[in-house]
Amino acid sequence: SVVVFGSCNMDLVAYVPVAPKQGETVTGREFRTVPGGKGANQAIAAAKAGADARMIGAVGGDEFGAEIHRVLRESTVDTQGLRTVSGRSGTAHIVVDDRGDNSIVVVPSANGTVDALADGDEEIIAGSDSLLLQLEIPQAGVAAAAAAGKRNGVRVVLTPAPAAPLPEELLHDVDLLVPNEHEAAVLTGHDDPERALTALLELVPEVVITLGARGCVYGSSEGSRHEVPAFDVQAVDTTAAGDTFVGVLSAALGEGEEVPAALRRAAAGSALSVQRNGATSAMPTRDEIIRFMAN
Ligand code: ADP
């Protein structure tokens, strides 16, 4: 089973022909609200891919919090560890233009309260095989959860996004680090993925660097290396490709798949998700992934 300790947001998305410049107002063509946040995205991706998934985090006592709760449960994510706190739920204010480029303002709100373990969290973490972490909650919360994972022999998987430098104490508790190319460069100062991989393996035992349409590279400090190409598909919306990748990867590892097979399943899952609009609504089921790989 997989537990996510992280963020939940309501994504408020405005679609515009051309994004406004500073001080400018433009008319949008469409508005959508979609539950998201890297934490909730990874939990939903893992659950849809067949894992027994739980979500630990916080939402506000507003209508967005209720909707995030509902969508997680509908995706079969266990929300016993999802607290409702006073104030607003986290929101992401997203403007997407006709070229598919976006700009985003994230307001953490309730996510900002997830800065330590709450009662019951350690038991939920200890009862899981993998703990998935990202950086959309306070770093103190990420560190507390990672330490609990380490203490209980749970595989700790960190997506270091949004990109930020990480304290060494946190990295000590991480088993698998999954940055994209940009995040790997921020962490190591190396734009070249091979050099970044080598540098990151000095810090954590296993690393996957995702490279968008170019797939991913995996390395372990024991010396194994795998390159997994992306599936050749027509991408329409790459939002949450990385979150889908991590969720599916964890589900596959939880089933006992070996690393190369699990990486291939993650590549298939994210390839399916980028062909559809929306983040969580675009995530594929286990059956869809297996069928796609067979073709
Ligand atoms: P992030 O969304 O975190 O920036 P990436 O863009 O690296 O992450 O994408 C994660 C994974 O999703 C890639 O390793 C790849 O397998 C898959 N993926 C992303 N973009 C595409 C694409 N255009 N076509 C096929 N697969 C893709």
Side-chain angles (χ1 to χ4, degrees):
S1 60
V2 171
V3 58
V4 177
F5 189 101
S7 59
C8 297
N9 287 328
M10 185 60 78
D11 290 353
L12 310 173
V13 193
Y15 295 87
V16 297
V18 180
K21 292 182 212 42
Q22 176 135 43
E24 191 187 10
T25 299
V26 300
T27 300
R29 43 167 125 263
E30 198 194 336
F31 173 69
R32 282 193 215 166
T33 61
V34 200
K38 292 179 196 298
N41 285 346
Q42 293 189 2
I44 291 172
K48 283 190 150 181
D52 182 357
R54 298 133 215 248
M55 179 79 213
I56 302 175
V59 296
D62 52 8
E63 70 274 33
F64 293 155
E67 175 68 3
I68 291 165
H69 252 286
R70 193 187 64 73
V71 168
L72 281 164
R73 278 199 306 266
E74 192 180 84
S75 313
T76 74
V77 176
D78 182 313
T79 55
Q80 218 179 290
L82 186 62
R83 293 173 279 281
T84 301
V85 299
S86 61
R88 305 291 319 210
S89 296
T91 46
H93 306 253
I94 306 176
V95 175
V96 180
D97 70 20
D98 274 352
R99 295 187 308 185
D101 288 331
N102 60 36
S103 47
I104 305 178
V105 176
V106 174
V107 187
S109 300
N111 293 309
T113 68
V114 187
D115 56 2
L117 297 185
D119 282 350
D121 289 355
E122 179 126 5
E123 288 71 21
I124 299 176
I125 291 169
S128 306
D129 306 314
S130 292
L131 166 65
L132 309 189
L133 301 168
Q134 321 76 31
L135 301 176
E136 284 186 340
I137 56 171
Q139 226 173 62
V142 177
K150 183 84 171 179
R151 270 198 297 281
N152 291 285
V154 177
R155 180 201 283 263
V156 178
V157 182
L158 174 63
T159 302
L166 297 174
E168 248 177 63
E169 309 89 76
L170 170 58
L171 287 167
H172 272 153
D173 293 334
V174 172
D175 297 300
L176 170 62
L177 189 69
V178 192
N180 67 16
E181 210 169 3
H182 164 67
E183 291 143 13
V186 169
L187 289 174
T188 63
H190 297 306
D191 286 329
D192 172 40
E194 271 308 316
R195 291 184 64 188
L197 188 71
T198 303
L200 291 171
L201 286 171
E202 302 282 318
L203 305 169
V204 296
E206 291 183 284
V207 175
V208 180
I209 303 181
T210 63
L211 307 168
R214 284 176 295 118
C216 69
V217 289
Y218 166 91
S220 80
S221 50
E222 287 174 351
S224 56
R225 285 281 199 284
H226 302 288
E227 262 179 58
V228 178
F231 286 79
D232 187 10
V233 297
Q234 194 65 48
V236 299
D237 182 355
T238 59
T239 311
D243 293 330
T244 305
F245 185 93
V246 170
V248 177
L249 178 67
S250 309
L253 291 172
E255 283 182 27
E257 291 279 354
E258 299 293 336
V259 166
L263 290 170
R264 193 162 166 309
R265 199 185 289 189
S270 44
L272 282 167
S273 75
V274 303
Q275 295 176 80
R276 306 174 191 156
N277 260 308
T280 49
S281 53
M283 289 167 181
T285 63
R286 186 179 185 285
D287 279 358
E288 287 174 319
I289 298 169
I290 303 293
R291 251 185 282 131
F292 178 70
M293 285 195 298
N295 285 329

